[in-house]
């Protein structure tokens, strides 16, 4: 997304289009987050009515452990697809940002670098489903803010160059370690 808005921002006559794209990207992401929250909230309420809190904590511990091991093995779960690049040539900036934001905001339809987001969604689902719109909305707004920052800074090229396989392994190793630590913490909380 920064690769779309960044070049527009550098061209004087395209700056307004870039800002429209970035605002629409955020709106689309938040809309998708709210759609997901409509699924997470009732599912979480159902789980809360069936399982006691300690059992849900143990399920969360197992989930974070599996995700942590997946990250440590460079096997972060995600679909192997990106937002359709052909849309850049087919849609004006506002609708393009809205469509891409919605697609990215669905979370399940794009590539992920680490599993921390999946663990956070699992925690909301299992422990406090009422937080779903707030948490998922915060994820969407944070992602949009990062895209906007990368778009406005010439450092985005340098940052993107660091996404080498070795750099990704390091990021996943940190994520996996955090997730395994969280799994231990959730287990200890459930058992004490």
């Amino acid at each position: 997304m920064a690769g779309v808005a960044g070049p527009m921002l550098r061209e004087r006559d395209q700056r307004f289009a870039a800002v429209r794209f970035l605002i629409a990207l955020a709106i689309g992401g938040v809309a998708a987050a709210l759609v997901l929250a409509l699924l997470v909230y009732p599912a979480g309420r159902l789980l809360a009515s069936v399982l006691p809190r300690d059992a849900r904590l143990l399920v969360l511990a197992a989930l974070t452990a599996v995700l942590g091991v997946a990250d440590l093995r460079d096997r972060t779960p995600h679909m192997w697809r990106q937002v359709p690049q052909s849309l850049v040539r087919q849609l004006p900036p506002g609708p393009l940002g809205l469509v891409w934001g919605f697609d990215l905001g669905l979370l399940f339809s794009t590539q992920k670098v680490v599993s921390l987001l999946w663990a956070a969604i699992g925690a909301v689902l299992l422990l406090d489903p009422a937080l779903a719109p707030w948490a998922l909305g915060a994820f969407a707004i944070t992602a949009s803010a990062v895209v906007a920052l990368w778009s406005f800074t010439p450092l985005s090229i340098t940052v993107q160059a660091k996404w080498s396989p070795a750099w990704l392994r390091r990021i996943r190793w940190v994520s996996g370690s955090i997730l395994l630590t969280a799994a231990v913490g959730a287990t200890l909380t459930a058992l004490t």
Side-chain angles (χ1 to χ4, degrees):
M1 302 318 111
V4 173
M8 282 193 253
L9 285 166
R10 287 188 270 291
E11 292 183 34
R12 180 176 219 121
D13 62 332
Q14 292 290 311
R15 288 183 183 152
F16 184 67
V19 171
R20 270 195 336 246
F21 171 80
L22 291 170
I23 290 170
L25 186 77
I27 292 169
V30 170
L34 294 177
V35 168
L36 282 178
L38 290 173
L39 300 172
V40 171
Y41 178 74
R45 298 288 296 170
L46 177 65
L47 287 170
S49 70
V50 175
L51 295 173
R53 186 171 194 279
D54 288 343
R56 287 181 281 132
L57 271 169
L58 290 173
V59 170
L60 180 60
L63 174 67
T64 55
V66 167
L67 291 171
V69 169
D71 278 0
L72 290 174
R73 297 187 68 219
D74 280 336
R75 300 282 186 237
T76 300
H78 63 270
M79 295 179 68
W80 282 101
R81 71 171 286 277
Q82 289 285 3
V83 178
Q85 300 295 314
S86 62
L87 294 177
V88 170
R89 294 176 293 284
Q90 297 170 355
L91 295 174
L96 176 66
L98 195 63
V99 168
W100 271 4
F102 194 83
D103 191 17
L104 290 171
L106 289 176
L107 302 175
F108 294 92
S109 59
T110 57
Q111 294 182 14
K112 300 288 175 271
V113 175
V114 296
S115 299
L116 290 169
L117 184 62
W118 302 131
I121 293 170
V124 168
L125 174 75
L126 292 163
L127 301 179
D128 195 352
L131 289 178
W134 301 105
L136 293 165
F139 299 155
I141 290 168
T142 301
S144 297
V146 169
V147 169
L149 285 173
W150 277 5
S151 298
F152 280 100
T153 178
L155 295 175
S156 63
I157 295 168
T158 306
V159 171
Q160 290 172 353
K162 288 187 177 181
W163 291 99
S164 68
W167 184 252
L168 288 174
R169 277 191 296 280
R170 284 186 212 118
I171 292 170
R172 287 185 179 131
W173 188 86
V174 169
S175 171
S177 300
I178 290 169
L179 290 170
L180 290 176
T181 302
V184 169
T187 302
L188 291 174
T189 302
L191 297 177
T192 56

